[in-house]
PDB file of all heavy atoms in Angstrom:
ATOM      1  N   LEU T 806      21.734 -10.693  14.004  1.00 83.00           N
ATOM      2  CA  LEU T 806      20.443 -10.796  14.676  1.00 83.00           C
ATOM      3  C   LEU T 806      20.619 -11.554  15.995  1.00 83.00           C
ATOM      4  O   LEU T 806      20.362 -12.747  16.083  1.00 83.00           O
ATOM      5  CB  LEU T 806      19.436 -11.504  13.776  1.00 83.00           C
ATOM      6  CG  LEU T 806      17.965 -11.372  14.170  1.00 83.00           C
ATOM      7  CD1 LEU T 806      17.535  -9.913  14.112  1.00 83.00           C
ATOM      8  CD2 LEU T 806      17.084 -12.212  13.250  1.00 83.00           C
ATOM      9  N   PRO T 807      21.064 -10.865  17.047  1.00 86.00           N
ATOM     10  CA  PRO T 807      21.259 -11.528  18.344  1.00 86.00           C
ATOM     11  C   PRO T 807      19.919 -11.999  18.916  1.00 86.00           C
ATOM     12  O   PRO T 807      18.853 -11.529  18.502  1.00 86.00           O
ATOM     13  CB  PRO T 807      21.868 -10.421  19.216  1.00 86.00           C
ATOM     14  CG  PRO T 807      22.333  -9.367  18.264  1.00 86.00           C
ATOM     15  CD  PRO T 807      21.437  -9.448  17.083  1.00 86.00           C
ATOM     16  N   PRO T 808      19.963 -12.918  19.881  1.00 86.00           N
ATOM     17  CA  PRO T 808      18.728 -13.377  20.532  1.00 86.00           C
ATOM     18  C   PRO T 808      17.949 -12.196  21.116  1.00 86.00           C
ATOM     19  O   PRO T 808      18.520 -11.299  21.732  1.00 86.00           O
ATOM     20  CB  PRO T 808      19.231 -14.309  21.632  1.00 86.00           C
ATOM     21  CG  PRO T 808      20.557 -14.791  21.136  1.00 86.00           C
ATOM     22  CD  PRO T 808      21.160 -13.634  20.396  1.00 86.00           C
ATOM     23  N   GLY T 809      16.651 -12.195  20.878  1.00 80.00           N
ATOM     24  CA  GLY T 809      15.807 -11.124  21.384  1.00 80.00           C
ATOM     25  C   GLY T 809      15.570 -10.001  20.408  1.00 80.00           C
ATOM     26  O   GLY T 809      14.672  -9.181  20.608  1.00 80.00           O
ATOM     27  N   ASP T 810      16.362  -9.949  19.336  1.00 82.00           N
ATOM     28  CA  ASP T 810      16.137  -8.928  18.312  1.00 82.00           C
ATOM     29  C   ASP T 810      15.072  -9.410  17.327  1.00 82.00           C
ATOM     30  O   ASP T 810      14.776 -10.597  17.229  1.00 82.00           O
ATOM     31  CB  ASP T 810      17.428  -8.630  17.550  1.00 82.00           C
ATOM     32  CG  ASP T 810      18.308  -7.633  18.291  1.00 82.00           C
ATOM     33  OD1 ASP T 810      17.987  -7.345  19.449  1.00 82.00           O
ATOM     34  OD2 ASP T 810      19.301  -7.178  17.707  1.00 82.00           O
ATOM     35  N   CYS T 811      14.540  -8.468  16.569  1.00 80.00           N
ATOM     36  CA  CYS T 811      13.576  -8.837  15.534  1.00 80.00           C
ATOM     37  C   CYS T 811      13.748  -7.918  14.336  1.00 80.00           C
ATOM     38  O   CYS T 811      14.286  -6.809  14.455  1.00 80.00           O
ATOM     39  CB  CYS T 811      12.141  -8.752  16.062  1.00 80.00           C
ATOM     40  SG  CYS T 811      11.606  -7.081  16.483  1.00 80.00           S
ATOM     41  N   VAL T 812      13.319  -8.388  13.196  1.00 81.00           N
ATOM     42  CA  VAL T 812      13.343  -7.601  11.967  1.00 81.00           C
ATOM     43  C   VAL T 812      11.919  -7.542  11.427  1.00 81.00           C
ATOM     44  O   VAL T 812      11.234  -8.563  11.337  1.00 81.00           O
ATOM     45  CB  VAL T 812      14.278  -8.222  10.909  1.00 81.00           C
ATOM     46  CG1 VAL T 812      14.166  -7.461   9.585  1.00 81.00           C
ATOM     47  CG2 VAL T 812      15.712  -8.223  11.390  1.00 81.00           C
ATOM     48  N   ILE T 813      11.488  -6.354  11.083  1.00 81.00           N
ATOM     49  CA  ILE T 813      10.159  -6.173  10.502  1.00 81.00           C
ATOM     50  C   ILE T 813      10.327  -5.805   9.033  1.00 81.00           C
ATOM     51  O   ILE T 813      11.062  -4.868   8.698  1.00 81.00           O
ATOM     52  CB  ILE T 813       9.378  -5.066  11.226  1.00 81.00           C
ATOM     53  CG1 ILE T 813       9.174  -5.436  12.694  1.00 81.00           C
ATOM     54  CG2 ILE T 813       8.034  -4.805  10.549  1.00 81.00           C
ATOM     55  CD1 ILE T 813       8.525  -4.339  13.495  1.00 81.00           C
ATOM     56  N   VAL T 814       9.675  -6.534   8.163  1.00 80.00           N
ATOM     57  CA  VAL T 814       9.698  -6.252   6.726  1.00 80.00           C
ATOM     58  C   VAL T 814       8.297  -5.791   6.329  1.00 80.00           C
ATOM     59  O   VAL T 814       7.319  -6.511   6.546  1.00 80.00           O
ATOM     60  CB  VAL T 814      10.103  -7.492   5.913  1.00 80.00           C
ATOM     61  CG1 VAL T 814      10.117  -7.167   4.434  1.00 80.00           C
ATOM     62  CG2 VAL T 814      11.474  -7.998   6.366  1.00 80.00           C
ATOM     63  N   GLU T 815       8.212  -4.602   5.764  1.00 76.00           N
ATOM     64  CA  GLU T 815       6.920  -4.035   5.384  1.00 76.00           C
ATOM     65  C   GLU T 815       6.902  -3.740   3.895  1.00 76.00           C
ATOM     66  O   GLU T 815       7.906  -3.325   3.317  1.00 76.00           O
ATOM     67  CB  GLU T 815       6.657  -2.746   6.158  1.00 76.00           C
ATOM     68  CG  GLU T 815       6.541  -2.951   7.666  1.00 76.00           C
ATOM     69  CD  GLU T 815       6.423  -1.636   8.410  1.00 76.00           C
ATOM     70  OE1 GLU T 815       7.186  -0.710   8.088  1.00 76.00           O
ATOM     71  OE2 GLU T 815       5.574  -1.549   9.294  1.00 76.00           O
ATOM     72  N   PHE T 816       5.751  -3.948   3.284  1.00 74.00           N
ATOM     73  CA  PHE T 816       5.584  -3.675   1.861  1.00 74.00           C
ATOM     74  C   PHE T 816       4.374  -2.766   1.659  1.00 74.00           C
ATOM     75  O   PHE T 816       3.368  -2.901   2.343  1.00 74.00           O
ATOM     76  CB  PHE T 816       5.351  -4.973   1.073  1.00 74.00           C
ATOM     77  CG  PHE T 816       6.528  -5.902   1.073  1.00 74.00           C
ATOM     78  CD1 PHE T 816       6.636  -6.904   2.030  1.00 74.00           C
ATOM     79  CD2 PHE T 816       7.519  -5.770   0.128  1.00 74.00           C
ATOM     80  CE1 PHE T 816       7.723  -7.766   2.036  1.00 74.00           C
ATOM     81  CE2 PHE T 816       8.612  -6.626   0.131  1.00 74.00           C
ATOM     82  CZ  PHE T 816       8.717  -7.627   1.080  1.00 74.00           C
ATOM     83  N   ASN T 817       4.515  -1.844   0.724  1.00 69.00           N
ATOM     84  CA  ASN T 817       3.356  -1.039   0.350  1.00 69.00           C
ATOM     85  C   ASN T 817       2.591  -1.752  -0.761  1.00 69.00           C
ATOM     86  O   ASN T 817       3.088  -2.682  -1.390  1.00 69.00           O
ATOM     87  CB  ASN T 817       3.806   0.344  -0.129  1.00 69.00           C
ATOM     88  CG  ASN T 817       4.746   0.259  -1.307  1.00 69.00           C
ATOM     89  OD1 ASN T 817       5.714  -0.480  -1.275  1.00 69.00           O
ATOM     90  ND2 ASN T 817       4.477   1.023  -2.346  1.00 69.00           N
ATOM     91  N   GLY T 818       1.381  -1.315  -1.013  1.00 68.00           N
ATOM     92  CA  GLY T 818       0.605  -1.870  -2.115  1.00 68.00           C
ATOM     93  C   GLY T 818       1.189  -1.438  -3.449  1.00 68.00           C
ATOM     94  O   GLY T 818       1.949  -0.474  -3.541  1.00 68.00           O
ATOM     95  N   SER T 819       0.836  -2.133  -4.493  1.00 68.00           N
ATOM     96  CA  SER T 819       1.344  -1.785  -5.821  1.00 68.00           C
ATOM     97  C   SER T 819       0.682  -0.502  -6.319  1.00 68.00           C
ATOM     98  O   SER T 819      -0.379  -0.102  -5.837  1.00 68.00           O
ATOM     99  CB  SER T 819       1.050  -2.925  -6.799  1.00 68.00           C
ATOM    100  OG  SER T 819      -0.343  -3.154  -6.895  1.00 68.00           O
ATOM    101  N   GLY T 820       1.318   0.149  -7.257  1.00 70.00           N
ATOM    102  CA  GLY T 820       0.777   1.381  -7.813  1.00 70.00           C
ATOM    103  C   GLY T 820      -0.441   1.112  -8.674  1.00 70.00           C
ATOM    104  O   GLY T 820      -0.599   0.029  -9.238  1.00 70.00           O
ATOM    105  N   GLY T 821      -1.292   2.101  -8.791  1.00 74.00           N
ATOM    106  CA  GLY T 821      -2.469   1.974  -9.636  1.00 74.00           C
ATOM    107  C   GLY T 821      -2.192   2.474 -11.041  1.00 74.00           C
ATOM    108  O   GLY T 821      -1.048   2.698 -11.426  1.00 74.00           O
ATOM    109  N   TYR T 822      -3.257   2.653 -11.807  1.00 81.00           N
ATOM    110  CA  TYR T 822      -3.132   3.107 -13.196  1.00 81.00           C
ATOM    111  C   TYR T 822      -3.962   4.367 -13.370  1.00 81.00           C
ATOM    112  O   TYR T 822      -5.152   4.385 -13.043  1.00 81.00           O
ATOM    113  CB  TYR T 822      -3.618   2.023 -14.156  1.00 81.00           C
ATOM    114  CG  TYR T 822      -3.466   2.378 -15.614  1.00 81.00           C
ATOM    115  CD1 TYR T 822      -2.241   2.224 -16.261  1.00 81.00           C
ATOM    116  CD2 TYR T 822      -4.538   2.890 -16.339  1.00 81.00           C
ATOM    117  CE1 TYR T 822      -2.099   2.568 -17.595  1.00 81.00           C
ATOM    118  CE2 TYR T 822      -4.397   3.236 -17.670  1.00 81.00           C
ATOM    119  CZ  TYR T 822      -3.177   3.069 -18.291  1.00 81.00           C
ATOM    120  OH  TYR T 822      -3.034   3.414 -19.608  1.00 81.00           O
ATOM    121  N   GLY T 823      -3.353   5.403 -13.873  1.00 88.00           N
ATOM    122  CA  GLY T 823      -4.077   6.640 -14.113  1.00 88.00           C
ATOM    123  C   GLY T 823      -4.117   7.547 -12.891  1.00 88.00           C
ATOM    124  O   GLY T 823      -3.464   7.298 -11.878  1.00 88.00           O
ATOM    125  N   ASP T 824      -4.896   8.603 -13.010  1.00 94.00           N
ATOM    126  CA  ASP T 824      -5.004   9.600 -11.951  1.00 94.00           C
ATOM    127  C   ASP T 824      -5.933   9.089 -10.854  1.00 94.00           C
ATOM    128  O   ASP T 824      -7.103   8.793 -11.126  1.00 94.00           O
ATOM    129  CB  ASP T 824      -5.560  10.895 -12.548  1.00 94.00           C
ATOM    130  CG  ASP T 824      -5.563  12.049 -11.561  1.00 94.00           C
ATOM    131  OD1 ASP T 824      -5.390  11.805 -10.348  1.00 94.00           O
ATOM    132  OD2 ASP T 824      -5.726  13.196 -12.011  1.00 94.00           O
ATOM    133  N   PRO T 825      -5.464   8.997  -9.604  1.00 94.00           N
ATOM    134  CA  PRO T 825      -6.342   8.513  -8.539  1.00 94.00           C
ATOM    135  C   PRO T 825      -7.568   9.397  -8.315  1.00 94.00           C
ATOM    136  O   PRO T 825      -8.577   8.926  -7.791  1.00 94.00           O
ATOM    137  CB  PRO T 825      -5.434   8.484  -7.302  1.00 94.00           C
ATOM    138  CG  PRO T 825      -4.273   9.354  -7.637  1.00 94.00           C
ATOM    139  CD  PRO T 825      -4.095   9.249  -9.110  1.00 94.00           C
ATOM    140  N   LEU T 826      -7.498  10.671  -8.724  1.00 95.00           N
ATOM    141  CA  LEU T 826      -8.657  11.544  -8.551  1.00 95.00           C
ATOM    142  C   LEU T 826      -9.797  11.184  -9.501  1.00 95.00           C
ATOM    143  O   LEU T 826     -10.926  11.660  -9.327  1.00 95.00           O
ATOM    144  CB  LEU T 826      -8.271  13.011  -8.775  1.00 95.00           C
ATOM    145  CG  LEU T 826      -7.291  13.634  -7.786  1.00 95.00           C
ATOM    146  CD1 LEU T 826      -7.217  15.139  -8.002  1.00 95.00           C
ATOM    147  CD2 LEU T 826      -7.672  13.329  -6.352  1.00 95.00           C
ATOM    148  N   LEU T 827      -9.512  10.354 -10.499  1.00 94.00           N
ATOM    149  CA  LEU T 827     -10.556   9.958 -11.437  1.00 94.00           C
ATOM    150  C   LEU T 827     -11.230   8.646 -11.037  1.00 94.00           C
ATOM    151  O   LEU T 827     -12.155   8.195 -11.703  1.00 94.00           O
ATOM    152  CB  LEU T 827      -9.967   9.818 -12.848  1.00 94.00           C
ATOM    153  CG  LEU T 827      -9.343  11.098 -13.430  1.00 94.00           C
ATOM    154  CD1 LEU T 827      -8.824  10.839 -14.848  1.00 94.00           C
ATOM    155  CD2 LEU T 827     -10.346  12.253 -13.427  1.00 94.00           C
ATOM    156  N   ARG T 828     -10.777   8.050  -9.948  1.00 94.00           N
ATOM    157  CA  ARG T 828     -11.423   6.820  -9.481  1.00 94.00           C
ATOM    158  C   ARG T 828     -12.752   7.166  -8.817  1.00 94.00           C
ATOM    159  O   ARG T 828     -12.847   8.128  -8.055  1.00 94.00           O
ATOM    160  CB  ARG T 828     -10.530   6.074  -8.496  1.00 94.00           C
ATOM    161  CG  ARG T 828     -11.089   4.713  -8.052  1.00 94.00           C
ATOM    162  CD  ARG T 828      -9.998   3.860  -7.444  1.00 94.00           C
ATOM    163  NE  ARG T 828     -10.489   2.617  -6.855  1.00 94.00           N
ATOM    164  CZ  ARG T 828     -10.838   1.520  -7.523  1.00 94.00           C
ATOM    165  NH1 ARG T 828     -10.742   1.521  -8.858  1.00 94.00           N
ATOM    166  NH2 ARG T 828     -11.248   0.443  -6.908  1.00 94.00           N
ATOM    167  N   GLU T 829     -13.767   6.358  -9.116  1.00 96.00           N
ATOM    168  CA  GLU T 829     -15.093   6.596  -8.542  1.00 96.00           C
ATOM    169  C   GLU T 829     -15.021   6.557  -7.015  1.00 96.00           C
ATOM    170  O   GLU T 829     -14.491   5.599  -6.443  1.00 96.00           O
ATOM    171  CB  GLU T 829     -16.070   5.539  -9.040  1.00 96.00           C
ATOM    172  CG  GLU T 829     -16.433   5.661 -10.513  1.00 96.00           C
ATOM    173  CD  GLU T 829     -17.286   6.889 -10.779  1.00 96.00           C
ATOM    174  OE1 GLU T 829     -17.901   7.412  -9.833  1.00 96.00           O
ATOM    175  OE2 GLU T 829     -17.313   7.338 -11.939  1.00 96.00           O
ATOM    176  N   PRO T 830     -15.539   7.579  -6.340  1.00 97.00           N
ATOM    177  CA  PRO T 830     -15.490   7.596  -4.872  1.00 97.00           C
ATOM    178  C   PRO T 830     -16.080   6.350  -4.231  1.00 97.00           C
ATOM    179  O   PRO T 830     -15.558   5.873  -3.209  1.00 97.00           O
ATOM    180  CB  PRO T 830     -16.294   8.855  -4.517  1.00 97.00           C
ATOM    181  CG  PRO T 830     -16.106   9.759  -5.696  1.00 97.00           C
ATOM    182  CD  PRO T 830     -16.094   8.839  -6.888  1.00 97.00           C
ATOM    183  N   GLU T 831     -17.161   5.811  -4.783  1.00 97.00           N
ATOM    184  CA  GLU T 831     -17.771   4.628  -4.192  1.00 97.00           C
ATOM    185  C   GLU T 831     -16.831   3.423  -4.263  1.00 97.00           C
ATOM    186  O   GLU T 831     -16.859   2.558  -3.378  1.00 97.00           O
ATOM    187  CB  GLU T 831     -19.095   4.302  -4.887  1.00 97.00           C
ATOM    188  CG  GLU T 831     -20.212   5.291  -4.585  1.00 97.00           C
ATOM    189  CD  GLU T 831     -20.563   5.339  -3.101  1.00 97.00           C
ATOM    190  OE1 GLU T 831     -20.330   4.329  -2.390  1.00 97.00           O
ATOM    191  OE2 GLU T 831     -21.064   6.387  -2.648  1.00 97.00           O
ATOM    192  N   LEU T 832     -16.004   3.362  -5.296  1.00 96.00           N
ATOM    193  CA  LEU T 832     -15.031   2.269  -5.401  1.00 96.00           C
ATOM    194  C   LEU T 832     -13.928   2.435  -4.364  1.00 96.00           C
ATOM    195  O   LEU T 832     -13.428   1.451  -3.814  1.00 96.00           O
ATOM    196  CB  LEU T 832     -14.447   2.200  -6.809  1.00 96.00           C
ATOM    197  CG  LEU T 832     -15.438   1.871  -7.931  1.00 96.00           C
ATOM    198  CD1 LEU T 832     -14.720   1.830  -9.280  1.00 96.00           C
ATOM    199  CD2 LEU T 832     -16.144   0.546  -7.664  1.00 96.00           C
ATOM    200  N   VAL T 833     -13.543   3.685  -4.098  1.00 96.00           N
ATOM    201  CA  VAL T 833     -12.557   3.936  -3.047  1.00 96.00           C
ATOM    202  C   VAL T 833     -13.141   3.546  -1.692  1.00 96.00           C
ATOM    203  O   VAL T 833     -12.467   2.924  -0.858  1.00 96.00           O
ATOM    204  CB  VAL T 833     -12.113   5.409  -3.042  1.00 96.00           C
ATOM    205  CG1 VAL T 833     -11.127   5.672  -1.902  1.00 96.00           C
ATOM    206  CG2 VAL T 833     -11.473   5.781  -4.379  1.00 96.00           C
ATOM    207  N   ALA T 834     -14.409   3.892  -1.474  1.00 97.00           N
ATOM    208  CA  ALA T 834     -15.064   3.526  -0.208  1.00 97.00           C
ATOM    209  C   ALA T 834     -15.104   2.012  -0.051  1.00 97.00           C
ATOM    210  O   ALA T 834     -14.893   1.484   1.051  1.00 97.00           O
ATOM    211  CB  ALA T 834     -16.472   4.101  -0.171  1.00 97.00           C
TER     212      ALA T 834
END
């Protein structure tokens, strides 16, 4: 990591439970 360089660490959200199509739309909103 020379001077002037940078490292970006990104994380996704954790997985849910069950079929996402069964989640109430208002809860997704």
Side-chain angles (χ1 to χ4, degrees):
L806 195 62
D810 277 10
C811 66
V812 174
I813 298 175
V814 180
E815 296 174 315
F816 294 93
N817 58 310
S819 60
Y822 183 81
D824 187 346
L826 295 190
L827 299 181
R828 185 162 173 78
E829 290 290 340
E831 289 299 334
L832 296 180
V833 178

